[in-house]
Amino acid sequence: MAENQLNVDPFAATLLRAMPLAVAVLGPDLAIVALNSAAEKVFGAAAVEAVGERPGDAFCCVNAAATNPGCGDGVNCGDCLLRRAGLAAIAGQTLNQQELALRIRRQGGSEEKYVLLSASPFHFAGRDLAVVLLQDVTPLHRLRGIVPICAACKKVRRDDRAWEAVEAFISDHSHALFSHGICPDCCRRLYPELEVSRDPR
């Protein structure tokens, strides 16, 4: 239905294909009505094949694959942010930039994808639909490659050959934040005059 309707309006079809973020239009039953090429690159689902499927089936979600008939019927599907956002948008609500973790089946195993999800209502041809934007932020969650670290002081060597504290390095390469304390072993070594509890808490 949607592919034919989008083709009637070349501007809409061209705009959807040109958008740099993954875009899916979901119907009231949460089946995919339209999908752009950016979504194909992120999830590996061909747009023509994905139309009519639910997102978990189209994007190879491991939870959808583990149940029959698929997306929406698994034990974890009730907690799925993509599903809840789609239903909320069809009901007229907007959701902005919520982080979603997806485990996707790949040849020989699976991989974790992290996306920022936004959803909004979309009324077209007498139907209440949902427009879902999915921005792949997986690289922001990963430290990749070999990290050179000093065996003695634990500083990390940056690309410019300078050395910095491991906390600074991880903060610069991820969303992690640090709070500092002192473990019981170090407290006993540095402050032997203090009585330190053996309780690990």
Side-chain angles (χ1 to χ4, degrees):
M1 162 253 176
E3 285 296 321
N4 293 336
Q5 288 178 341
L6 284 175
N7 289 335
V8 169
D9 184 350
F11 176 80
T14 305
L15 178 65
L16 186 65
R17 280 192 295 271
M19 292 191 73
L21 298 180
V23 179
V25 179
L26 306 180
D29 58 353
L30 297 186
I32 295 172
V33 172
L35 192 69
N36 71 347
S37 55
E40 294 177 38
K41 289 175 188 163
V42 173
F43 298 106
V48 175
E49 295 168 9
V51 170
E53 289 189 27
R54 289 178 286 184
D57 299 322
F59 301 155
C60 301
C61 168
V62 295
N63 292 319
T67 185
N68 189 7
C71 177
D73 296 301
V75 174
N76 298 316
C77 292
D79 295 328
C80 175
L81 179 61
L82 177 54
R83 189 172 172 70
R84 285 186 286 130
L87 291 170
I90 288 164
Q93 299 170 32
T94 299
L95 184 78
N96 285 312
Q97 294 197 331
Q98 298 290 310
E99 193 168 85
L100 166 68
L102 289 170
R103 183 156 289 283
I104 295 175
R105 280 185 298 125
R106 291 286 186 243
Q107 279 187 337
S110 65
E111 73 171 297
E112 195 90 37
K113 285 271 186 192
Y114 294 91
V115 295
L116 283 182
L117 182 150
S118 297
S120 62
F122 176 51
H123 192 75
F124 182 75
R127 298 177 72 198
D128 292 321
L129 306 171
V131 176
V132 180
L133 275 68
L134 301 159
Q135 182 178 5
D136 187 4
V137 293
T138 306
L140 300 178
H141 280 260
R142 282 191 198 131
L143 288 174
R144 290 172 287 179
I146 296 172
V147 177
I149 188 167
C150 175
C153 71
K154 306 301 182 200
K155 284 185 181 172
V156 175
R157 191 183 73 225
R158 298 191 319 237
D159 291 339
D160 64 1
R161 314 297 271 178
W163 292 84
E164 68 181 342
V166 68
E167 298 98 319
F169 180 83
I170 292 174
S171 293
D172 287 346
H173 291 82
S174 74
H175 294 292
L177 299 174
F178 288 87
S179 68
H180 289 85
I182 190 162
C183 74
D185 290 341
C186 288
C187 189
R188 279 189 288 277
R189 183 172 51 82
L190 295 170
Y191 308 103
E193 69 279 7
L194 296 178
E195 192 170 315
V196 181
S197 169
R198 294 282 176 188
D199 187 339
R201 291 171 295 178

